[in-house]
Amino acid sequence: MGRISISHTPLPKMSYLVILLVIAFVYSAPLIVGTYSASLLRDAMLFSMIALGLDYLWGKTGTLSFGHATFFGAGAYGAAIVSTKLGLDPTLGSWLGLISGVSIAMLIALVVGYFLIFGGVRGSYFTIVTLALAVISEHVIVGWSDITGGDAGLLGIPPLFFPTLSGLAPLSPVVLYWFIASVVCLTALSLWWVCSGRYGLILKTIEDNEERAQALGHNTSQHLLTVFVGSSAVAALGGALYASTVGFVAKDIVGLILSTQVIIWVAIGGRGTLIGPVIAAIFVIWFEQRISSINVQLWPLFMGFLFILAVFVFPNGVLRTLVGILRKLGQRLEHRV
Amino acid sequence: MMIASGLLTGSHLTKRFGGIVAVNDLSISINLLEIKCVIGPNGAGKSSLFNLLCGALRPDSGELMFKGHSLSRLALHEISRIGIARKFQVPSIFESLSVQQNLEVSVLKPQSKFELKDRVDQMLDRIEQSDMRDQFAGNLAHGQKQWLEIGMALMSEPEVLLLDEPTAGMTIDETLDTVKFIHQLSDHAAILVIEHDMNFVRALGCHTYVMHQGGIIADGPFSGIENDDLVQAVYLGKM
């Protein structure tokens, strides 16, 4: 698998342009599509953080987690519980919630990841155990209703407060949108930067042949654990921001269904490209809203169709396929000139 | 059998798989900048011995020492870090990285970009792959993969290099080139080669252990080994 690798060769100049255009569109969206559509885009961007986190793990080290929604959920529920149940002042509680949500998710990842990774669990066995993690987390949310609100979820989560001229206040919808867009862009760009050099190569060796990497002296288990915890922190940051942005959490943000969708986003966007899964997540969620508004039952059908398309037509992801086509077109144009 | 206090010493190593004793009370040692070879027919336990020596398997009994320190509690990556490098039997390179990148990731902690580039360039030269540095390693010919993997093992500047069937699948010419290559390497590291190809071992012409049914039945210079009646009987299947 993976004989063709584009992720470590320099990107064609065209794709920098594409990335710039995407960022420009993302920032100007509230002014173009209106505030309601922008709020959908904002939520989609937060969910795309799970895809970003998962791609850091799956795309860079080849280790597939089927439970990444758990970390999004842990971030969201952690933030919700700390900011609503402890009787904190909302100006402080919202930020403390954000930090706690991310920390709780990282702690879960650290404990689960330590025993799995240092216990030598790899490949599909790792995937199956993380699948169990998704199921368990769903049961915990439903069963532990005193704390988590059970099926009803938790309401009244305070928004993040920022210092303004007139004291601490929540951001206006448009500014909040820009704040979240910046967090997502910054996270994606820093992950991309971190993985673009030698570190990315070392992660790739783990995917190619972990025993060989160990025999060269690389502590692959430690690398994998770091990536696993880091990738869950990214997902949890998305979840914690989601809780404070939307104001409520419900059980559909943890568990198996969301975890499965995330895998589809990454597969469609192109495993290992980091930015591809983010764009795919946003498009698929937007598409989901459109289709579901026609008929709710149509969506699972489309989702299945998309997945089949991703596997058979774009096995390297839509983004890579597009870049490939652009490259070929460029070469042809050069030949003519 | 005498236990020498060499650079890498295994004494009374035993490894069982279920009821089968793959390595049976075997002692072996290699000294600084020495080339030694282990030969034996298929199923003699060569690969098990190799895996014991590089830490991929733990012995059921016996002790493995490197420069007077026990290796029994070290993880695979730690054994590599103290100076024991290995080449696997099946060429194990990173197929989706380029030849150059394969060598780059084989240096654990490069001092600087320039130092790394220098060392990679030198190694590319030594393994004669300078002109294919940007190719995917997966596209190399079989023999080239073997050399690349030896190059990768050398990037950490090991004191002991363990080679498991380095000429498997090579043509006769490639095999003889590899013999020359290994002789050059012995200026830098002690080398223990595991092989079953008699022609290769004859060309290498070093101190040789003959393995049979998990134990060593003969050892000495290859010329003496080759004419040993017992060894001939084992290799020709008369036992």
Side-chain angles (χ1 to χ4, degrees), chain A residues 3 198 204 208 212 217-218, chain B residues 81 92 104-105 107 149:
Chain A
R3 180 150 297 188
R198 181 181 156 79
K204 187 83 189 157
D208 263 20
R212 171 78 270 179
H218 294 296
Chain B
R81 286 181 187 185
S92 299
E104 282 172 10
V105 295
V107 179
E149 198 188 344

Side-chain angles (χ1 to χ4, degrees), chain B residues 23 25 62 138 147 175 181 192 200:
Chain B
V23 178
D25 192 28
W147 278 43
T175 302
F181 184 41
L192 183 72
F200 168 77

Side-chain angles (χ1 to χ4, degrees), chain A residues 103-115:
Chain A
S103 312
I104 290 167
M106 286 173 79
L107 191 69
I108 296 172
L110 185 68
V111 173
V112 173
Y114 177 81
F115 285 107

